[in-house]
Amino acid sequence: MEKPPALSQLRTAISQVDKDMLALLAKRRTLALDVARSKAIDIRPIRDTEREKELLARLVSQGREQGLDAHFVLSLYQTIIEDSVLNQQAFLQQQANPDTDKQQYCIAYLGAKGSYSHLAASRYCQRRQFSMVELGCKSFDDIIRSVESGHADFGFLPIENTSSGSINEVYDLLQHTRLAIVGETTIDVGHCLLGKPGTQLSHITKLYAHPQPISQCSRYLSQQPELALAYCASSAAAMEAVMQNERMDIAAIGSAQGGALYGLEVLKDNLANQQINQSRFIVVARKAIHVPEQVPAKTTLIMATGHKPGALVDALLVLKKYQLNMTKLESRPIAGTPWEEMFYLDIDANIDAVNMRDVLSELANLTRFIKVLGCYPCETVAPTQLSQKQLLIEPDTSKTDGQMTTAPVQIQTQHLTLGQDHPVALAELHQLQQHDAQLNWFKTLREQGFQGVIVPAADLSATLAQQLTDSQLAPIAALCSVDSLSQPLPAEMLYLTGSAMFDNELLNCAGAQTLPVILERHPDASIAALTQSLDTLRQAGNQSIVLCEAGDETRSGKKVLDIIQLQRLQTTLPCPVIVKAPKDSPLLPKELSANGLIIPCQPQQQHRQQISKLYR
């Protein structure tokens, strides 16, 4: 075997390749800005999704010829396209507002350098290629006052977080300010435990943090009852407190980037309750801006409806009448008037569009008060997707005997046949009963039309499995950790809840089993993230996979079935799809073209009528 080059030589070669790639990415960005200049003249939309699909399909095919994974190529170019779209938007925005085309702006944000607000402001300025004069503030009120008085050009205010929800204090401030919303930006929030070099995680006794990160990391903190919490005005203040203190048993919650600015090391990462944790910031200024018609725009307004039944519904129906999409509806109490509320709306529309003008005119007649807070470019770039068929085509070298291996469209166990024209009803049990009562319950479930029962793996003993099979019900084990697979389970299928989507160790262990697997989509997971989890199961060897759509959770905790997401699952992933329907959902799997239904069950509950409609 020929001896490979020295490691130092290989690293030098890789560094040169990386340098060349960066130069090509910079060249591509320059060309994308030339495209924006052309679109400014021709007044053409920034995005052409059909062309993006053609581009991605071609690149995936070309990448496959080079031995590159299709999902890797797709994810890489989705990021590149997002960067291109946002840079084109920023260019056209500056062209439409020449008075904002300066090289330097003063930016007011919460906290000091290293806070999440500082990181968001830095990203916003870098995108627009102007330098930032930093003005750290102690409160949201200070940010508003700094911009209103002219001490700052822009103010950055966090408005919502995917984990902890809306920032109510900011919504309340927007009621009374004269400032206009002129932009938005969203950043990934990676909460880490940060300490001075040499700090041991096991020695931490006190934690400094802003209230928002504490709320967003509540699950982790609940498992550390010995930690004393010290509340700070910002994440930057928390990191500074740790840096300036000589104690080695303290830590802060903040970002890895922010921690580096203060000389702190990451002791533990991924503290947030949700795997996908993002914060959205709005940008406020003294003067409103004009958004070019080819730039996707968002309009934010506040209104107070009349005191009569259905007043809010009447107002929202105006949006439906003019086919406008509302992406946000938030209510806040009106100061000084108990039990009355102001409503905040985000609408996907340009304020200069004819239908948006008509909406504002009608709402002015329907409401007691209405005010536009701003119209600004929308920075949410939905990634263009390819069909699963385009992603699953493999090169000839990966085929066996000229045939490509694909997932079966029908899955069969001893008591279940799932897929195609074989819908199933599965009962999910979270508590069990005494022996005789349990046998009667299983019999009742079977009589109602259930074909399988999902129980926690820890509760699925050989005796319980036998009781289920005697009742002609398939035992299905719900896994919560790899420990559940330490010994063979008396089950016909395995069930992975949404949280397991992000547990690669559990996915690999489940994928190595011979039992079929039901994989539930996490409420915050995209199709791309679900595809990655699906691929992990398959690469571990398991091709018998059923997908489960469990819907999304509202801020009130109510489960809502996402019909669009379900349709995307059915059209992009070649697996049977079942629905974990929210309580009292009027929609049934057959109406949704799904292959089955999972129903959480309690003793004495009846589901016969709901299940009977499944088999019609």
Side-chain angles (χ1 to χ4, degrees):
M1 181 178 177
E2 185 178 348
K3 185 178 179 180
L7 182 59
S8 59
Q9 289 180 299
L10 293 172
R11 286 174 172 169
T12 299
I14 289 175
S15 296
Q16 184 60 49
V17 171
D18 290 338
K19 184 177 179 181
D20 293 342
M21 288 172 61
L22 290 172
L24 290 172
L25 286 172
K27 183 177 180 179
R28 192 188 193 284
R29 176 180 275 192
T30 300
L31 292 171
L33 289 178
D34 288 339
V35 170
R37 292 185 179 93
S38 173
K39 290 176 179 177
I41 297 172
D42 300 339
I43 316 297
R44 283 180 293 164
I46 285 181
R47 298 196 72 178
D48 182 347
T49 53
E50 287 305 314
R51 184 189 177 282
E52 288 178 15
K53 288 181 181 179
E54 293 173 3
L55 171 68
L56 291 173
R58 183 173 72 251
L59 290 169
V60 164
S61 177
Q62 292 172 348
R64 189 178 288 116
E65 293 171 2
Q66 301 290 329
L68 297 175
D69 176 74
H71 293 290
F72 167 71
V73 174
L74 178 64
S75 177
L76 174 64
Y77 274 90
Q78 283 174 336
T79 302
I80 291 173
I81 289 173
E82 178 186 21
D83 177 78
S84 175
V85 168
L86 291 177
N87 277 297
Q88 290 185 50
Q89 284 187 190
F91 172 80
L92 291 174
Q93 193 59 39
Q94 288 175 342
Q95 293 293 303
N97 299 270
D99 56 328
T100 64
D101 191 14
K102 297 197 302 184
Q103 297 301 309
Q104 189 178 73
Y105 288 93
C106 182
I107 310 293
Y109 56 85
L110 183 67
K113 184 177 290 188
S115 67
Y116 287 111
S117 293
H118 172 258
L119 297 177
S122 300
R123 177 176 176 177
Y124 185 86
C125 295
Q126 289 168 5
R127 175 79 63 193
R128 286 147 187 83
Q129 297 183 338
F130 55 73
S131 60
M132 176 174 69
V133 177
E134 300 171 356
L135 180 60
C137 298
K138 294 182 179 180
S139 67
F140 298 139
D141 274 310
D142 287 346
I143 295 173
I144 294 289
R145 282 194 292 266
S146 296
V147 180
E148 287 180 338
S149 65
H151 287 107
D153 297 301
F154 298 115
F156 272 74
L157 297 164
I159 195 73
E160 61 180 326
N161 176 269
T162 54
S163 176
S164 56
S166 299
I167 315 296
N168 293 332
E169 185 180 350
V170 174
Y171 276 105
D172 292 341
L173 287 172
L174 291 175
Q175 283 189 32
H176 309 292
T177 182
R178 302 185 307 274
L179 301 179
I181 302 176
V182 297
E184 67 172 358
T185 190
T186 300
I187 64 169
D188 291 321
V189 177
H191 291 312
C192 304
L193 208 59
L194 305 167
K196 291 191 293 292
T199 301
Q200 298 294 317
L201 179 61
S202 59
H203 294 167
I204 301 298
T205 60
K206 189 173 184 179
L207 194 59
Y208 292 81
H210 183 265
Q212 284 294 326
I214 289 176
S215 170
Q216 294 162 21
C217 303
S218 59
R219 191 174 302 159
Y220 170 77
L221 294 176
S222 68
Q223 298 169 358
Q224 318 296 326
E226 72 283 359
L227 289 182
L229 298 179
Y231 290 85
C232 300
S234 69
S235 295
M239 293 183 285
E240 187 175 11
V242 172
M243 179 191 68
Q244 293 180 348
N245 199 311
E246 295 181 357
R247 290 173 56 178
M248 297 296 289
D249 63 341
I250 59 174
I253 296 179
S255 67
Q257 305 99 302
L261 293 174
Y262 290 88
L264 303 180
E265 294 181 347
V266 176
L267 306 179
K268 185 175 179 59
D269 57 8
N270 296 323
L271 301 184
N273 297 342
Q274 297 186 12
Q275 185 79 10
I276 301 174
N277 189 28
Q278 296 179 321
S279 286
R280 175 180 169 236
F281 292 78
I282 55 172
V283 188
V284 293
R286 290 182 296 278
K287 182 181 177 182
I289 58 171
H290 168 66
V291 182
E293 62 180 274
Q294 66 262 55
V295 173
K298 185 180 290 183
T299 297
T300 298
L301 57 90
I302 56 176
M303 65 182 188
T305 58
H307 295 296
K308 63 176 184 177
L312 177 60
V313 174
D314 290 341
L316 298 182
L317 286 175
V318 175
L319 300 180
K320 181 179 180 181
K321 175 182 176 181
Y322 290 98
Q323 298 183 327
L324 291 181
N325 182 44
M326 179 183 65
T327 58
K328 179 78 173 177
L329 175 63
E330 190 77 23
S331 65
R332 292 296 299 154
I334 301 174
T337 55
W339 314 118
E340 292 190 25
E341 294 187 324
M342 190 80 72
F343 296 99
Y344 293 77
L345 289 80
D346 285 345
I347 302 169
D348 283 338
N350 194 314
I351 195 170
D352 293 327
V354 174
N355 56 350
M356 188 65 208
R357 288 291 184 188
D358 290 339
V359 164
L360 292 174
S361 178
E362 290 201 24
L363 288 179
N365 295 325
L366 283 174
T367 60
R368 293 187 294 119
F369 168 81
I370 185 168
K371 175 187 175 183
V372 175
L373 296 178
C375 177
Y376 48 96
C378 175
E379 295 216 356
T380 302
V381 180
T384 298
Q385 302 287 354
L386 295 180
S387 69
Q388 193 65 14
K389 181 178 179 181
Q390 290 171 300
L391 293 173
L392 286 178
I393 298 175
E394 299 178 0
D396 293 339
T397 54
S398 69
K399 297 177 183 178
T400 305
D401 299 328
Q403 299 295 322
M404 182 177 69
T405 302
T406 59
V409 294
Q410 182 172 296
I411 294 173
Q412 191 161 2
T413 70
Q414 180 181 350
H415 293 92
L416 288 176
T417 300
L418 200 156
Q420 293 182 344
D421 296 324
H422 298 278
V424 300
L426 306 177
E428 184 180 30
L429 311 186
H430 294 289
Q431 63 180 40
L432 300 173
Q433 297 187 298
Q434 297 299 321
H435 183 272
D436 291 341
Q438 195 161 273
L439 287 176
N440 291 331
W441 189 17
F442 291 162
K443 180 181 178 182
T444 301
L445 290 174
R446 181 59 189 170
E447 289 173 350
Q448 290 183 40
F450 286 103
Q451 296 161 273
V453 171
I454 302 170
V455 296
D459 296 331
L460 188 58
S461 62
T463 300
L464 179 62
Q466 187 62 51
Q467 291 175 349
L468 288 168
T469 54
D470 288 346
S471 302
Q472 296 184 315
L473 293 168
I476 302 171
L479 306 180
C480 60
S481 69
V482 292
D483 295 337
S484 305
L485 294 170
S486 58
Q487 56 187 5
L489 289 168
E492 293 186 22
M493 297 185 79
L494 304 176
Y495 180 71
L496 298 178
T497 61
S499 58
M501 263 192 62
F502 307 111
D503 189 336
N504 284 327
E505 185 181 8
L506 181 55
L507 289 171
N508 279 301
C509 288
Q513 306 297 310
T514 57
L515 298 174
V517 174
I518 300 173
L519 176 62
E520 178 185 310
R521 182 185 73 84
H522 189 278
D524 296 322
S526 63
I527 296 294
L530 182 62
T531 301
Q532 289 180 353
S533 301
L534 181 64
D535 287 345
T536 301
L537 285 169
R538 285 178 172 163
Q539 288 166 9
N542 201 323
Q543 303 300 312
S544 300
I545 303 169
V546 180
L547 300 178
C548 173
E549 173 55 39
D552 295 331
E553 188 171 308
T554 64
R555 290 189 176 88
S556 64
K558 183 179 180 181
K559 283 281 189 177
V560 178
L561 189 61
D562 188 337
I563 308 302
I564 301 299
Q565 194 75 295
L566 175 61
Q567 292 172 342
R568 287 174 181 164
L569 282 180
Q570 294 166 331
T571 55
T572 58
L573 299 177
C575 298
V577 179
I578 57 179
V579 173
K580 188 174 181 179
K583 185 179 180 181
D584 301 326
S585 172
L587 298 170
L588 295 170
K590 202 158 189 179
E591 296 168 336
L592 301 169
S593 301
N595 299 109
L597 181 67
I598 294 177
I599 301 177
C601 293
Q602 298 288 341
Q604 314 306 322
Q605 286 183 334
Q606 286 291 326
H607 303 280
R608 190 187 307 273
Q609 185 177 5
Q610 189 176 9
I611 294 174
S612 67
K613 295 178 181 178
L614 175 65
Y615 302 111
R616 289 179 184 172

